[in-house]
Amino acid sequence: MKQINVNLQSNDFLNIKTIKLKGDSSLARDSVLIDNKLWSVYEDRIQTFDVNSLISREHPIKSNFTKIDYQRDNIWFYNFQLNNDVVQDAIPLSRYNLKDNKFVDYLEKDLHIGSNLLLYDDGDNALLAGGPKVYILNYSNQSIRPFKEFQSQVTGIYGNDSFVWFGTAGEGLIEYNKQNNTFKNYDEIGVSSGTISEISFSDNRLIFNTGYEEELGLTVFDLNTNKWTNYQNEIQEYTGDYWVDQYQTIWVSVNLEDGNQELMYLDLNSNRWKPAKLKNVLLVYDILSFDSRIVLFCTDQGVFQLNKLTGETKPVIKYENDETRIHRINANEFIIVSSQGIYKLDVTGS
């Protein structure tokens, strides 16, 4: 399905039809859309919802899952913060394989990874990081064995077919070369703290948070030019939340003096940060760009359109104190997940 040509003028917004697909009274802690099936994790269940047939199925759970991570052929359910010193028979990690169509649970006592959990799935194995230790999980025999122990806590992990990058709370960024089985430490980032977290990858660029609390900043490493750019000074009061859209535009949320939040984005033409000029927004939860001009973003006050050409905003769905997520079905249709229910946004033109 091709994207509608809305022919926006400088002050135009999208014409969006809002359709409520499913009512709900509880808040999904996290969600992901895979092949028109919405996977959501709640306090007591994992729920799947087919956005075409509108059929919903529930899978009861015994664990306190808060995150969903879709990698390769697996959907991972876990909680970043573990409680291994409290419940040894808890299930902090579950994997649903899309080929086998079945869940595989992993007990906390078998993971051996401390009080937090990060993972990377390369298709045949998964790397599980917690504290300074990293373990490798083999899918064929379900064995879990030591892979690497760093000197400080692992705070971020991301990989591709050639490399795996580990962020740490004291050793900076460490690169693992899969082919050579070697590790390389990057000490030239030039940030005041060695803490690296929230690693992502876009357009052959590594993007991650650097520093901690007052010294928190955002760093971009361009693998094409081997150049680091740290934006700690350009985005004051950075919250640590960032998003990268399909145009490789980086969005961040920052705290304002009045207690509200503002969105800023990195203009790729000028390499300068620009504000989105939000009004009375306490929290920004999710962002998705319709095209290079119109951006849809979810806040505690509802879902809004932002026209980047003018900096003006327009509400799509209004509510108060609700945490929402947005997912793209196709070029012109989107799914909103909130405690009010599941909505479809249909862009019909300008």
Side-chain angles (χ1 to χ4, degrees):
M1 183 177 180
K2 293 184 178 180
Q3 188 173 50
I4 292 174
N5 183 6
V6 295
N7 295 320
L8 288 176
Q9 301 300 313
S10 62
N11 60 345
D12 282 343
F13 288 99
L14 299 175
N15 183 15
I16 299 179
K17 182 180 180 180
T18 303
I19 306 168
K20 191 170 186 177
L21 302 181
K22 184 179 185 297
D24 212 327
S25 59
S26 56
L27 177 64
R29 294 176 168 181
D30 201 2
S31 58
V32 63
L33 184 67
I34 306 171
D35 296 331
N36 290 329
K37 182 176 286 187
L38 180 70
W39 292 75
S40 304
V41 61
Y42 295 82
E43 183 178 2
D44 59 348
R45 70 191 187 276
I46 294 170
Q47 178 178 281
T48 58
F49 179 74
D50 192 304
V51 300
N52 292 326
S53 68
L54 307 185
I55 295 175
S56 176
R57 290 187 172 90
E58 295 185 355
H59 311 271
I61 57 176
K62 297 180 180 179
S63 299
N64 189 25
F65 294 139
T66 58
K67 289 185 68 63
I68 300 179
D69 198 355
Y70 172 46
Q71 299 185 36
R72 310 286 179 163
D73 294 318
N74 294 305
I75 308 173
W76 296 88
F77 305 89
Y78 61 100
N79 190 337
F80 175 74
Q81 295 293 333
L82 302 182
N83 298 303
N84 60 321
D85 57 343
V86 178
V87 183
Q88 281 294 305
D89 291 326
I91 302 174
L93 179 65
S94 186
R95 175 172 63 93
Y96 183 83
N97 186 271
L98 293 171
K99 290 184 176 180
D100 298 336
N101 292 318
K102 67 178 183 179
F103 285 92
V104 180
D105 295 330
Y106 301 94
L107 295 176
E108 192 155 335
K109 63 183 180 181
D110 297 328
L111 295 178
H112 315 294
I113 56 174
S115 61
N116 66 300
L117 175 62
L118 297 166
L119 65 87
Y120 160 70
D121 185 339
D122 72 356
D124 298 318
N125 305 281
L127 294 178
L128 308 176
K133 297 180 180 180
V134 181
Y135 286 80
I136 186 167
L137 167 62
N138 185 288
Y139 297 145
S140 60
N141 58 20
Q142 299 303 317
S143 65
I144 301 175
R145 56 182 175 82
F147 175 76
K148 176 72 173 179
E149 182 171 359
F150 297 102
Q151 297 179 6
S152 54
Q153 178 173 321
V154 177
T155 50
I157 182 171
Y158 189 88
N160 59 20
D161 292 337
S162 301
F163 302 98
V164 180
W165 292 276
F166 297 93
T168 69
E171 299 170 75
L173 184 69
I174 299 173
E175 178 186 272
Y176 170 64
N177 187 309
K178 292 183 179 181
Q179 182 177 0
N180 300 332
N181 194 31
T182 57
F183 291 86
K184 176 182 177 180
N185 183 277
Y186 287 98
D187 55 6
E188 67 268 33
I189 300 176
V191 296
S192 56
S193 171
T195 300
I196 305 293
S197 61
E198 301 295 332
I199 304 172
S200 66
F201 190 82
S202 176
D203 195 32
N204 215 30
R205 298 179 300 168
L206 274 178
I207 305 168
F208 48 85
N209 286 338
T210 50
Y212 184 68
E213 293 184 347
E214 293 83 3
E215 297 179 345
L216 187 63
L218 188 75
T219 294
V220 178
F221 177 35
D222 191 324
L223 298 180
N224 295 316
T225 62
N226 207 38
K227 179 183 177 182
W228 301 95
T229 305
N230 180 262
Y231 296 104
Q232 188 169 12
N233 296 325
E234 287 85 348
I235 46 176
Q236 298 291 326
E237 300 299 325
Y238 171 46
T239 66
D241 293 327
Y242 74 87
W243 301 263
V244 184
D245 66 19
Q246 69 268 37
Y247 303 99
Q248 285 75 55
T249 301
I250 302 174
W251 297 80
V252 301
S253 60
V254 297
N255 291 318
L256 301 177
E257 292 183 355
D258 61 5
N260 292 327
Q261 286 189 356
E262 173 65 285
L263 274 179
M264 298 184 69
Y265 66 95
L266 182 62
D267 186 288
L268 298 180
N269 295 321
S270 63
N271 198 36
R272 297 182 61 182
W273 290 91
K274 295 184 176 181
K277 303 177 182 178
L278 304 186
K279 297 178 181 179
N280 301 318
V281 169
L282 292 175
L283 292 168
V284 179
Y285 292 113
D286 209 358
I287 296 174
L288 200 155
S289 292
F290 174 78
D291 56 21
S292 61
R293 296 166 290 183
I294 297 295
V295 179
L296 301 172
F297 61 95
C298 302
T299 76
D300 63 313
Q301 301 299 310
V303 181
F304 294 83
Q305 300 184 59
L306 165 69
N307 188 321
K308 289 169 61 178
L309 300 178
T310 64
E312 298 298 318
T313 61
K314 179 181 180 181
V316 178
I317 305 175
K318 296 193 71 174
Y319 45 71
E320 291 184 1
N321 303 320
D322 198 356
E323 182 176 342
T324 55
R325 296 290 184 271
I326 183 169
H327 305 283
R328 191 166 206 147
I329 302 175
N330 54 46
N332 305 301
E333 294 179 318
F334 303 84
I335 286 291
I336 297 293
V337 184
S338 76
S339 64
Q340 311 299 315
I342 299 173
Y343 296 84
K344 182 170 77 170
L345 306 183
D346 186 3
V347 179
T348 59
S350 59

